[in-house]
Amino acid sequence: MTAQAMTSLSREALEDAVVDRASIGLAEVISEAALQTRVDRKFLLTPEEFTALSERLGDQFKIMEIDGLRTFRYESVYFDTEDFEQYRAHRQGRRRRYKVRSRTYADTGLSMFEIKTKGLRGATVKHRVEQAPEQAGELSEENREFLDQILASEYGEEAPSLSAVLDSTYTRATFVNPIDGERVTCDVELNYANDEKQIAGPELIVVETKSADGRGVSDRALAELGIREVSMSKYCIGIALLHPQLPANRWSRLLAQRFGTRRGPVSHPPRSRSMVRS
């Protein structure tokens, strides 16, 4: 089966899972189910596994719907240093690590500047402010100041010099349990690009559970299906795919088994450049 056909099956499975489920609006998600401090766990599912998961989630999970849409196109721009300092921090599992990105919701035009830090016991804490969509590809002065404040508050550090190093796009649907705030994001059609090349992601569905303690309804359903958590950062996987000369031992097996990518000998990492945007 071709990659294109498999991707179509993934998108079809996603659409089938959300079409008849009760919906929840964005305002309700924000007011009742917006976990800004949470435990995130990632999984890679085939379309068949995803359909089984959807059935096990039951009626308590609703689908986020905005203006009649239940699947949304996401566009993310990630920022890092010239020598990929934050990529290396994630690869080495450092406690004080973070991601800096702009996320634009292509279907609504909303754009956010976000900083994800690691809190106590490995919990992910998201800090974000709204921005104009045209600012997504570069760090504005206001966003630099916001980054300085967050890193000083969280880690007592100064922000390094950052530039855009990765574009990522995908289509997402979000399951929400309004009772306890648990969310399940489901991504298909993942693509990565920089100013030199573009690479398609896995022909699978990237599922991420977001709960207060990492033991939510969705986590238990996945365990019952025998689906194991994967150590995967969409940012780090994208950098590893676009820069095969960078060390990626933490994800080598995942890249080989699920992304069909086998890595050769590692050379010294190159110096990145800001991506060219029209």
Side-chain angles (χ1 to χ4, degrees):
M1 181 178 292
T2 66
Q4 182 178 2
M6 190 64 174
T7 300
S8 297
L9 288 176
S10 297
R11 179 64 179 266
E12 182 179 342
L14 184 63
E15 298 285 359
D16 287 346
V18 306
V19 64
D20 292 326
R21 190 175 289 269
S23 65
I24 181 171
L26 179 60
E28 190 177 355
V29 171
I30 293 173
S31 64
E32 298 185 16
L35 287 178
Q36 295 301 91
T37 302
R38 73 237 180 156
V39 175
D40 296 352
R41 303 179 68 208
K42 296 185 180 69
F43 305 83
L44 287 173
L45 277 66
T46 65
E48 294 79 13
E49 289 172 335
F50 181 76
T51 298
L53 171 64
S54 175
E55 292 172 352
R56 283 178 177 261
L57 290 182
D59 295 337
Q60 61 187 301
F61 279 84
K62 299 181 179 181
I63 290 296
M64 187 176 71
E65 180 175 315
I66 303 174
D67 296 332
L69 296 175
R70 296 187 170 202
T71 60
F72 303 90
R73 193 68 177 164
Y74 282 55
E75 300 173 354
S76 297
V77 179
Y78 289 88
F79 301 88
D80 209 333
T81 62
E82 286 188 301
D83 59 352
F84 299 99
E85 177 181 332
Q86 285 312 305
Y87 169 82
R88 290 186 289 107
H90 282 76
R91 183 181 66 84
Q92 295 166 5
R94 298 181 200 168
R95 185 176 66 84
R96 292 188 171 186
R97 64 184 189 269
Y98 54 91
K99 293 193 191 85
V100 181
R101 73 184 179 201
S102 285
R103 169 166 287 176
T104 301
Y105 303 84
D107 298 290
T108 64
L110 176 66
S111 186
M112 308 293 292
F113 176 70
E114 301 179 342
I115 305 153
K116 295 176 70 173
T117 60
K118 283 293 180 182
L120 296 175
R121 298 179 181 178
T124 300
V125 183
K126 184 189 291 186
H127 316 264
R128 63 181 188 172
V129 292
E130 189 170 351
Q131 65 182 356
E134 57 268 21
Q135 293 180 312
E138 60 185 26
L139 279 178
S140 67
E141 199 62 38
E142 294 82 4
N143 287 344
R144 288 183 186 275
E145 292 177 1
F146 180 61
L147 175 61
D148 286 335
Q149 294 171 4
I150 295 301
L151 293 187
S153 173
E154 293 285 321
Y155 300 142
E157 298 178 1
E158 293 184 359
S161 177
L162 302 177
S163 60
V165 297
L166 175 69
D167 282 346
S168 172
T169 64
Y170 50 88
T171 297
R172 166 173 290 184
T174 301
F175 291 72
V176 180
N177 184 343
I179 297 175
D180 60 6
E182 182 181 354
R183 295 200 302 271
V184 183
T185 60
C186 313
D187 303 336
V188 298
E189 301 172 344
L190 181 63
N191 282 276
Y192 294 113
N194 58 15
D195 58 349
E196 296 178 348
K197 56 185 173 181
Q198 178 175 330
I199 295 178
E203 300 96 19
L204 299 167
I205 300 172
V206 183
V207 170
E208 187 167 356
T209 63
K210 307 167 192 291
S211 64
D213 58 6
R215 297 189 295 271
V217 173
S218 57
D219 298 289
R220 295 196 298 271
L222 286 159
E224 291 168 359
L225 290 169
I227 300 172
R228 296 183 178 181
E229 180 181 5
V230 296
S231 176
M232 172 184 165
S233 156
K234 286 197 288 290
Y235 168 65
C236 293
I237 290 295
I239 290 295
L241 288 171
L242 291 169
H243 300 274
Q245 66 273 56
L246 286 175
N249 51 298
R250 188 173 184 177
W251 307 288
S252 294
R253 179 176 296 180
L254 180 68
L255 287 165
Q257 293 180 349
R258 309 308 295 271
F259 288 77
T261 300
R262 296 192 179 277
R263 302 171 65 84
V266 173
S267 60
H268 293 292
R271 298 178 69 84
S272 67
R273 296 177 297 162
S274 297
M275 288 182 288
V276 177
R277 289 179 172 79
S278 55

